[in-house]
Amino acid sequence: METLKNYINGKWEVSKEQSTTDVVNPATQEVMAKVPYGAKTAEDLAKAVEAAQKAFQSWGQMPVMKRVQPLYKLKQLLEDNLEDLAKTITMECGKTLAESRGELQRAIENVEVACGMPVMIQSEFSENIAGGIDEFMIRQPLGVCGCISPFNFPGMIPFWFLPYAIATGNTFVLKPSEKVPLTMQKVFQLIDQLDLPEGVVSLVHGGKETVDAMLDHPQVKAISFVGSSKVAKYIYSRGAANGKRVQAQGGAKNPIVILPDADIEISTQIIADSTFGCAGQRCLAASNIVTVGDKNGTIKESLYESAKKRTTGYGLDEKIEMGPVINQASLKRISTLIDQGVDEGGKVLLDGRNAKISGFEKGNFISPTIIENLPLGGEIVKTEIFGPVISLIELNSIDEALEFVNSNAYGNMACIFTSSGANARKFRSQANAGNIGINIGVAAPMAQFPFSGWNESFFGDLHGQGRHGVEFFTQTKIVVERWPKEWSRKF
Ligand code: NAD
């Protein structure tokens, strides 16, 4: 069985760490590879940072137009290898092939946006700001930047950062999730074909020890993290205490409000896609669905019908609409939360627990589940489930709905379905969340916009993607300049 190698200084290298953890296909339980996991991965990390620091000396000085050239080729390589990468994502992460292709498309879009860096990095200039003085701002790279990514979007999330970091002149060290390292392993085989100087991008496998080494390394200037809130908070605190710039995106608990004036059939279909897409393992998955004034249960009925007919199975089968969750521990956690909801008085309207998929009996499957009658402060209503479960909440007015939405400790996304512009506007303005959807179920910002997030969903200031990517990966320098006439030689 293959133990994955690191990619350091432009070469594939065996890790210093001999202990490994298994990469397991969540549908079949087949062990796909072994990944280095243990204290000595810190040495691998240090070696990658050393190479990145050396590479930075010349990469950071290279004209931006030259720095973006490898990104054009990377886009082409990602497109040419999209099917193979999508299959890898489905096999190690569990999502359907259509979902895997979709996340790769989002990755490519970030490469495309970063290709615009020659224009994006341009800054401000003011002539004659006072008595013949000109003033301008330039953006310069930070140095070595580290990235730590989660399991649920193995192909996309590193691309929220990597293209912006290197196009702005930084060097970049990535530690992917140890649960799904194979996608980036393949992406780095493509990166190896680029005309990039050695050390500009590196891949180091591992877990907490690798992360801690990154957080403590004095030459790492910035950290981009995406994962659960608990770890995000830890990364932010430890990284910032060590003087680093940190952007740490955390977990979520996303509410969607549906008003009776919405198109019920279309809206409930979109809402079901939001909850059950990627088996609910999306930071923008809808979790608490709030119906307003649904006295005769029309919305509930439509949501139930939409959820019930979804097919669960192995994502490599194109007919499947929902794959397994990542591992047995996650499956157990989701079932325990549902049990807790029932203990709190909840009624399971649609029960996806103990889903048995023919031919994949060992897979981590749970089918769409809906639970209602939950107390508003209950555990399942507050906790991130990260599985295909709708908590159905019935309220009487948009004000009650907004109060509920704003009681959320997280703030990744909040959505409303309505045909009323006035209600949509009120919601957009008053909902406390970083990403708002109006008649949209997954309010994922496109690459040219920052991927926002508030409260426990984000620690830091500047988010990933778009202009925030440029700002996060550069430090500003202000130049105040005077050229007195009388100092010039006369010709
Ligand atoms: P996780 O926090 O368990 O792991 C994320 C990364 O941190 C991994 O690379 C892991 O190796 C590392 N890590 C884990 N525990 C650590 C520790 N104690 N110390 C240092 N490093 C540690 O998250 P996950 O389970 O891989 O991903 C799912 C979570 O990510 C969910 O909470 C989801 O909402 C969140 N997420 C958020 C966004 C967003 O944009 N806000 C996007 C995707 C996923």
Side-chain angles (χ1 to χ4, degrees), residues 37 147-153 156-157 160 175-179 206-212 215 225-232 234-235 248-253 281-284 326 384 386 410 412 435 451-453 457-458:
Y37 196 73
C147 176
I148 303 146
S149 55
F151 82 80
N152 64 330
F153 282 93
M156 175 182 75
I157 287 178
W160 285 355
K175 190 215 80 69
S177 165
E178 64 279 16
K179 293 177 190 140
K208 180 169 167 51
E209 288 91 344
T210 336
V211 172
D212 287 347
L215 292 172
F225 171 87
V226 181
S228 58
S229 288
K230 192 167 156 238
V231 182
Y234 166 74
I235 301 279
Q249 306 199 199
K253 184 74 187 172
Q281 299 173 116
R282 249 192 315 214
C283 69
L284 297 181
I326 189 71
E384 179 175 40
F386 229 50
Y410 297 93
N412 223 30
N435 302 294
F451 194 107
S452 193
S457 294
F458 182 71

Side-chain angles (χ1 to χ4, degrees), residues 8 54 56 186-187 202 243 344 386 412 434 442:
I8 297 174
K54 190 155 166 262
F56 175 65
K186 288 205 163 172
V187 165
S202 298
E344 288 170 349
F386 229 50
N412 223 30
V442 179

Side-chain angles (χ1 to χ4, degrees), residues 25-305:
N25 179 323
T28 63
Q29 306 300 342
E30 173 211 356
V31 177
M32 298 174 70
K34 294 188 173 291
V35 64
Y37 196 73
K40 284 199 164 180
T41 58
E43 292 177 31
D44 301 333
L45 192 278
K47 195 166 175 202
V49 173
E50 192 186 327
Q53 178 64 21
K54 190 155 166 262
F56 175 65
Q57 305 313 318
S58 46
W59 182 252
Q61 298 295 317
M62 193 179 274
V64 60
M65 199 65 98
K66 285 208 164 142
R67 286 197 304 251
V68 297
Q69 295 311 313
L71 293 179
Y72 286 97
K73 184 162 176 202
L74 181 58
K75 165 185 157 64
Q76 193 60 52
L77 286 171
L78 289 169
E79 281 173 350
D80 293 348
N81 292 276
L82 195 132
E83 277 308 305
D84 180 45
L85 289 168
K87 201 171 159 204
T88 305
I89 294 176
T90 293
M91 289 174 73
E92 69 174 348
C93 181
K95 61 181 70 174
T96 66
L97 273 176
E99 289 166 345
S100 299
R101 290 182 191 119
E103 75 158 285
L104 287 165
Q105 193 49 47
R106 285 289 167 101
I108 292 167
E109 284 160 10
N110 274 287
V111 177
E112 290 168 342
V113 169
C115 283
M117 199 54 72
V119 175
M120 288 169 87
I121 205 166
Q122 282 177 5
S123 216
E124 296 157 29
F125 181 92
S126 260
E127 193 181 56
N128 201 16
I129 208 152
I133 294 173
D134 303 331
E135 196 163 314
F136 57 96
M137 183 170 93
I138 47 182
R139 292 194 171 275
Q140 295 190 326
L142 307 172
V144 181
C145 297
C147 176
I148 303 146
S149 55
F151 82 80
N152 64 330
F153 282 93
M156 175 182 75
I157 287 178
F159 282 97
W160 285 355
F161 311 107
L162 187 154
Y164 304 97
I166 65 170
T168 47
N170 301 280
T171 52
F172 191 79
V173 179
L174 169 69
K175 190 215 80 69
S177 165
E178 64 279 16
K179 293 177 190 140
V180 293
L182 290 168
T183 306
M184 276 300 126
Q185 196 79 2
K186 288 205 163 172
V187 165
F188 270 71
Q189 279 158 9
L190 303 179
I191 285 177
D192 190 42
Q193 297 172 35
L194 304 178
D195 197 12
L196 265 180
E198 289 168 358
V200 172
V201 286
S202 298
L203 175 72
V204 180
H205 293 293
K208 180 169 167 51
E209 288 91 344
T210 336
V211 172
D212 287 347
M214 191 186 272
L215 292 172
D216 293 344
H217 200 298
Q219 277 173 338
V220 174
K221 298 295 176 211
I223 304 268
S224 304
F225 171 87
V226 181
S228 58
S229 288
K230 192 167 156 238
V231 182
K233 206 171 194 168
Y234 166 74
I235 301 279
Y236 181 75
S237 317
R238 187 154 166 176
N242 284 330
K244 301 184 197 316
R245 196 176 274 204
V246 186
Q247 48 182 192
Q249 306 199 199
K253 184 74 187 172
N254 303 306
I256 290 191
V257 175
I258 171 163
L259 302 188
D261 62 4
D263 180 312
I264 303 303
E265 207 183 316
I266 295 174
S267 304
T268 51
Q269 177 72 32
I270 298 172
I271 293 169
D273 287 345
S274 173
T275 303
F276 304 126
C278 300
Q281 299 173 116
R282 249 192 315 214
C283 69
L284 297 181
S287 184
N288 289 325
I289 308 303
V290 180
T291 63
V292 172
D294 189 30
K295 293 277 179 276
N296 51 11
T298 319
I299 302 175
K300 178 162 78 173
E301 176 71 23
S302 182
L303 203 52
Y304 175 84
E305 289 304 324

Side-chain angles (χ1 to χ4, degrees), residues 330-376:
S330 185
L331 190 63
K332 187 154 181 265
R333 192 181 47 75
I334 296 164
S335 291
T336 306
L337 268 167
I338 297 170
D339 292 344
Q340 231 168 322
V342 172
D343 291 346
E344 288 170 349
K347 182 174 149 222
V348 181
L349 200 61
L350 182 65
D351 195 348
R353 290 173 290 180
N354 305 315
K356 289 280 169 280
I357 308 300
S358 171
F360 300 97
E361 285 75 9
K362 291 188 190 154
N364 317 318
F365 292 104
I366 168 165
S367 294
T369 297
I370 303 179
I371 178 161
E372 62 174 344
N373 283 348
L374 292 159
L376 291 191

